[in-house]
Amino acid sequence: MSTSNAVTAIPAADSAAASAHFHAALRFETDCSDVSGALASGAPGFVLLDVRSPALFAQGHVPGAVNLPHGKLVESKLVDYPLDTLFVTYCAGPHCNGATRAALRLAQMGRPVKVMIGGITGWLDEGFELAASDKGRQQATREVATS
């Protein structure tokens, strides 16, 4: 098979290099399905951080997530978590870099961290439900009533 196109113009990496690359990628990220399964187990082994604004968190978030906007992520907010606590960050979706910004801050603080790729968009695409605070439900109800 010697078809040349944009996909095949650069040869694929050998198996050892591909294995190393993909193994490394999984050290930095996880996906919505894996997070959902871990949360459902009752002992996920990580703290899930929604790094969006409190208003967006109130409107809908992954059940079990803790809201800590990436701009307010400082060591003093983490004192209740042991230093080896794994954090998994997420934001709105693939169009948002808030989860990456939060992961960078956590890593700079010496904290273990992964990003949940897809964020809220990915969560919903997988068919998972969001939780909303009472304040968020009331706001959504007002928005529907006024439209």
Side-chain angles (χ1 to χ4, degrees):
M1 184 186 293
S2 62
T3 303
S4 183
N5 55 48
V7 174
T8 62
I10 298 173
D14 64 66
S15 295
S19 178
H21 169 81
F22 295 121
H23 183 265
L26 292 173
R27 296 178 66 205
F28 300 102
E29 60 190 32
T30 186
D31 68 13
C32 300
S33 181
D34 290 344
V35 168
S36 176
L39 291 172
S41 78
F46 58 85
V47 173
L48 185 61
L49 288 183
D50 182 316
V51 300
R52 300 172 304 141
S53 71
L56 289 174
F57 180 83
Q59 290 175 14
H61 57 272
V62 174
V66 174
N67 184 224
L68 185 53
H70 67 84
K72 300 195 185 263
L73 189 54
V74 294
E75 189 67 47
S76 63
K77 303 269 185 177
L78 305 176
V79 295
D80 293 335
Y81 300 104
L83 290 175
D84 63 348
T85 300
L86 172 62
F87 291 95
V88 174
T89 64
Y90 76 87
C91 60
H95 57 283
C96 174
N97 69 4
T100 302
R101 289 176 182 272
L104 175 59
R105 283 188 180 202
L106 287 161
Q108 289 171 334
M109 289 184 234
R111 300 297 193 125
V113 62
K114 291 186 177 192
V115 170
M116 182 180 82
I117 57 174
I120 290 290
T121 301
W123 189 263
L124 293 171
D125 285 351
E126 291 286 334
F128 302 127
E129 299 290 324
L130 295 178
S133 68
D134 289 334
K135 178 182 169 187
R137 283 190 200 95
Q138 292 166 0
Q139 178 65 30
T141 301
R142 280 195 299 275
E143 288 172 2
V144 168
T146 60
S147 6

